[in-house]
Each structure stands twice: as C-alpha cells, then as structure tokens.
C-alpha cells in the first residue's frame, strides 16, 4: 500500500488550508515509520496559486523527517506529469520532470508517470510524451516510469514502444475499487499481470463512498456531493456487506475496502489528510479477506445500479 496526496493543496475538492501542513507532516512521519514507502503525487496537484503544492510539501516533509532515510527505497516518490496541450515535445516533458524535482528538492524520482493519454483527442502529441518518458529514464531523472489512466489497448501500445527503446514500463495507475471493477478495469489488471506491470489503484474508497461515513442525509461538502447523491442510494447491499465483514473481522469498512484491492493484486493508494486517516488505512495491512468474503463483496458491488464515473481521460 502507498498513500495518495491529491488533497495536499486542493482547496476546491478537499478543503485544503495551509494551516493543515503541520498535521500533514505528522501523517507523512507516521506513515514512513509504519512501513509505507510509496507516496503518489502529481505536478498538477494543488489548486490555483497552490499548483504543485503537493510536491513541495512532500519535499519539505522528506527533508524535515526526524527518522533515518538510508536508501532510495525508504521513500519512493511517484509523481505524474500532466499531458498539458502545450507539452508538445519530449524536451518540454523533460522540463516538467526537472520542475517536479526542483519542487521536491530531489535528484531522482522513484517513478515518473504520464498522468493521462492524449490518444482520444490529440494522438499526435502522444508519441512526444512517450519519448519524454524515455528521456527522463535515460537521463536518470527517474528510477522507473509508469502511466496513469491508460486502458488495456493503449497500455499494450506504450509497453511495446517503450520496450523497443529499452525502457521497462513499471506501473499503471487507474481508478480501481469495489465501485470501479468493470470489464475494462479487470482486463487492464490481466494485461498488467501478463506484462509484469504493477497496477496502482487510486480512489480505492470511491472518494469516500465506501467508508460508511455518508448517507443520503449526510453528504460531503463541495463537488463530491453531486456524485454521492447519484450513487449512494443504490449501495445499500454493498455497504451492508462491507459493514458485516468489517464487524466480523474487527476492522472498519474502509479497511475492508482497501484490503479487497490488495487481495486483487493491486497497490492501493488511499488519500490521507489527517492522522486518523493514516491510522485507519494502516489497519488494512497484515491480514486478508477470505475467498468467500471477496466473492460476497464483488456480487454486491456488481448488483449496484450505478458505479463510479470513470476518469474522462481513461483510454480504451
């Protein structure tokens, strides 16, 4: 399991305030001390003037960590570079990587990822972005490269292209949870397994819908409430199964939902913005759901009338 930092700097969706930084530092410290090594971020994380704030905070937290960081494996920073329309050359992509390294104040990233594919709307830009991944790997700016929001067909194409350049594709990040386990997601997992690519599961809690903390009369603030209002009413069976299994195992519903992702062979990256989040997410480690429990959860999930809306940038 790793931790996601989308909320760090995002005022619109997650209500970030700079006054939260001291607790976010404590979150990072607690995670690192408890064996969490992977932290996912992006050069686009942070709203308005706070664009890039997530990377800046991670860099600060690494520098100010009071424990010992002995090797690059102790903290693996996986950042994503946005496929902005003005990033039209591999050189511009390399510069984006350099800017991230500067914000993080690191010499090398753990994983450099292409945040999304442009195949659906700007196919000619795609090759330049792929060449950018090749360059940042060859220049040693990253230890590994990955992609995000790629479907199975496009994943096969980029894997083949990178392989022809001698660059291994290490990871593929996609929305994956009990609310996002459709045919395309499962096909993508099969492709990843066949190619030796690790699937990183973002939004493993369905933006919070699988936590059991919300219902029709208690919705989150901000834009999430619109989505919750559409999907939550049809999740009674799934939430009931999560609650029953959680009670039987002495776990929380969130821990069960995250553990399901791990049982499916993915690396979930739940978001954290409080000590309570870190402590609860850590409780998803060290145990496994039974095959019968996995089957029960998946049957209930498939019966839900509405699922999570897929990322608009995800390709086929």
């Amino acid at each position: 399991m790793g931790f996601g930092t989308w909320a760090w700097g995002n005022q619109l969706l997650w209500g970030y305030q700079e006054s939260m930084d001291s607790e976010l530092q404590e979150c990072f410290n607690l995670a690192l001390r408890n064996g969490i090594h992977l932290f996912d971020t992006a050069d686009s994380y942070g709203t308005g003037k706070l664009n890039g704030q997530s990377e800046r905070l991670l860099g600060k937290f690494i520098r100010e960590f009071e424990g010992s960081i002995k090797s690059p494996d102790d903290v693996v920073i996986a950042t994503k570079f946005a496929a902005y329309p003005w990033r039209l050359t591999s050189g511009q992509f390399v510069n984006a990587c350099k800017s991230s390294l500067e914000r993080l104040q690191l010499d090398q990233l753990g994983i450099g990822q292409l945040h999304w594919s442009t195949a659906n709307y700007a196919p000619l830009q795609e090759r330049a972005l792929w060449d950018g991944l090749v360059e940042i790997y060859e220049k040693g700016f990253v230890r590994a490269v990955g992609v995000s929001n790629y479907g199975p067909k496009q994943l096969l194409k980029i894997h083949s292209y990178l392989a022809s350049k001698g660059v291994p594709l290490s990871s593929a990040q996609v929305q994956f949870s009990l609310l996002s386990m459709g045919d395309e997601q499962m096909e993508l997992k099969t492709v990843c397994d066949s190619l030796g690519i690790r699937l990183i599961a973002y939004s493993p809690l369905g933006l919070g819908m699988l936590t059991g903390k919300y219902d029709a009369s208690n919705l989150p603030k901000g834009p999430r409430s619109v989505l919750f209002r559409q999907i939550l009413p049809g999740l009674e069976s799934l939430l009931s199964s999560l609650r029953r299994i959680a009670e039987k195992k002495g776990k929380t519903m969130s821990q069960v939902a995250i553990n399901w992702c791990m049982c499916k062979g993915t690396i979930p990256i739940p978001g954290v913005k409080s000590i309570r989040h870190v402590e609860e997410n850590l409780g998803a480690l060290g145990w496994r759901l039974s095959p019968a429990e996995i089957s029960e959860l998946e049957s209930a999930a498939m019966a839900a009338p509405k699922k999570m809306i897929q990322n608009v940038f995800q390709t086929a």
Side-chain angles (χ1 to χ4, degrees), residues 49-252:
K49 293 179 180 179
L50 293 172
N51 194 47
Q53 181 75 346
S54 175
E55 291 181 332
R56 280 188 289 271
L57 287 174
L58 270 173
K60 176 177 181 288
F61 297 163
I62 292 170
R63 293 190 305 277
E64 297 180 2
F65 180 63
E66 294 178 353
S68 175
I69 298 176
K70 296 178 180 178
S71 81
D73 288 329
D74 288 344
V75 183
V76 178
I77 301 298
T79 200
K80 299 181 290 293
F81 311 114
Y84 291 134
W86 56 85
R87 287 181 180 163
L88 297 171
T89 68
S90 59
Q92 289 169 320
F93 193 87
V94 171
N95 287 338
C97 181
K98 288 180 178 178
S99 294
S100 287
L101 286 169
E102 190 174 322
R103 282 189 291 272
L104 287 156
Q105 294 193 36
L106 295 175
D107 296 323
Q108 187 182 53
L109 292 166
I111 312 173
Q113 306 162 97
L114 175 54
H115 204 156
W116 64 84
S117 167
T118 64
N120 288 344
Y121 62 92
L124 295 178
Q125 184 185 3
E126 185 93 336
R127 182 60 60 89
L129 298 173
W130 292 2
D131 286 337
L133 284 174
V134 172
E135 283 195 43
I136 62 174
Y137 182 81
E138 290 179 342
K139 291 178 184 293
F141 294 150
V142 299
R143 295 171 64 199
V145 300
V147 293
S148 179
N149 297 309
Y150 268 62
K153 293 183 177 65
Q154 202 66 9
L155 186 68
L156 284 166
K157 290 178 184 177
I158 188 171
H159 176 272
S160 177
Y161 184 77
L162 294 179
S164 74
K165 303 290 185 179
V167 178
L169 182 61
S170 296
S171 64
Q173 187 174 148
V174 71
Q175 183 178 188
F176 191 93
S177 72
L178 283 162
L179 291 179
S180 184
M181 47 169 272
D183 291 343
E184 195 167 85
Q185 283 356 45
M186 302 316 288
E187 183 185 348
L188 181 69
K189 179 64 175 64
T190 300
V191 171
C192 284
D193 290 345
S194 70
L195 297 176
I197 299 169
R198 293 306 303 269
L199 194 149
I200 298 174
Y202 73 75
S203 292
L205 296 175
L207 297 179
M209 261 182 270
L210 298 176
T211 64
K213 298 169 185 172
Y214 302 102
D215 56 39
S217 61
N218 177 34
L219 298 170
K221 297 176 183 177
R224 281 190 297 160
S225 65
V226 178
L227 190 63
F228 276 50
R229 195 172 286 111
Q230 294 172 352
I231 299 175
L232 261 181
L235 297 185
E236 287 107 341
S237 177
L238 174 56
L239 294 177
S240 176
S241 289
L242 278 168
R243 189 173 292 107
R244 189 189 65 76
I245 292 170
E247 289 172 356
K248 184 175 76 171
K249 291 191 169 295
K251 297 292 180 181
T252 67

